Amino acid sequence: MSATNFDATQETRFVEMIFPEQANHYGTLFGGNALNLMGKAAFVAATRRARQPIVMATSDKIEFHVPVKVGDLVELTARVVRVGRSSMTVVVDVVSEALISGARQLAVRGSFEMVAVDKAGRPTPVEVLSSTTTTIQETTS
């Protein structure tokens, strides 16, 4: 067994295939479904950074650049770009990829304010992390 270091504060990535049930009547990704995926990515990125319970306070400036077609792959990349007392700003990029050609383009970008909360749901300070590197154990057969 060997160990690999992983810095959970760098980026969180998700990959999702776009199917017809996620599309609107134009055959492209419905905006609400895009926001759902982006919210999940923001939540995971903020939780990885804080290692505390997290809630979404706001979504801000969601920019739809190009439509994402049914059959495209989307890669979501979430980054914590600001850490305050109890809140964090997470930027999420959604890049669409045509699987056959490999063409990739920025489809959606948005910013989310995520807040660390205590057991009562009140804002609580985000802990300062001395080391954010986690060790991943790899098994060999």
Side-chain angles (χ1 to χ4, degrees):
M1 192 178 318
S2 63
T4 303
N5 288 331
F6 168 71
D7 188 349
T9 63
Q10 293 301 313
E11 291 183 338
T12 294
R13 291 182 183 265
F14 283 67
V15 177
E16 177 91 12
M17 183 76 186
I18 304 306
F19 291 106
E21 62 270 10
Q22 296 167 295
N24 57 29
H25 59 288
Y26 296 111
T28 60
L29 179 63
F30 175 63
N33 287 331
L35 289 171
N36 178 36
L37 293 169
M38 294 171 78
K40 287 178 187 178
F43 168 79
V44 172
T47 302
R48 280 178 150 177
R49 167 55 183 84
R51 297 295 180 194
Q52 295 173 254
I54 297 293
V55 296
M56 183 188 301
T58 64
S59 58
D60 186 38
K61 194 165 173 133
I62 307 299
E63 302 167 344
F64 292 87
H65 297 281
V66 296
V68 177
K69 298 175 186 159
V70 168
D72 282 355
L73 190 71
V74 292
E75 180 178 16
L76 296 98
T77 304
R79 296 174 310 285
V80 176
V81 296
R82 184 196 64 81
V83 178
R85 189 185 80 75
S86 63
S87 66
M88 292 166 278
T89 304
V90 181
V91 172
V92 180
D93 290 336
V94 180
V95 173
S96 67
E97 178 179 335
L99 283 177
I100 303 302
S101 71
R104 294 170 51 92
Q105 56 186 336
L106 178 65
V108 188
R109 175 175 284 155
S111 177
F112 297 82
E113 287 299 313
M114 310 301 282
V115 178
V117 294
D118 61 18
K119 290 182 181 183
R122 293 183 302 260
T124 188
V126 173
E127 296 175 16
V128 176
L129 303 177
S130 58
S131 173
T132 58
T133 303
T134 302
T135 301
I136 300 172
Q137 297 295 323
E138 296 177 0
T139 59
T140 56
S141 310

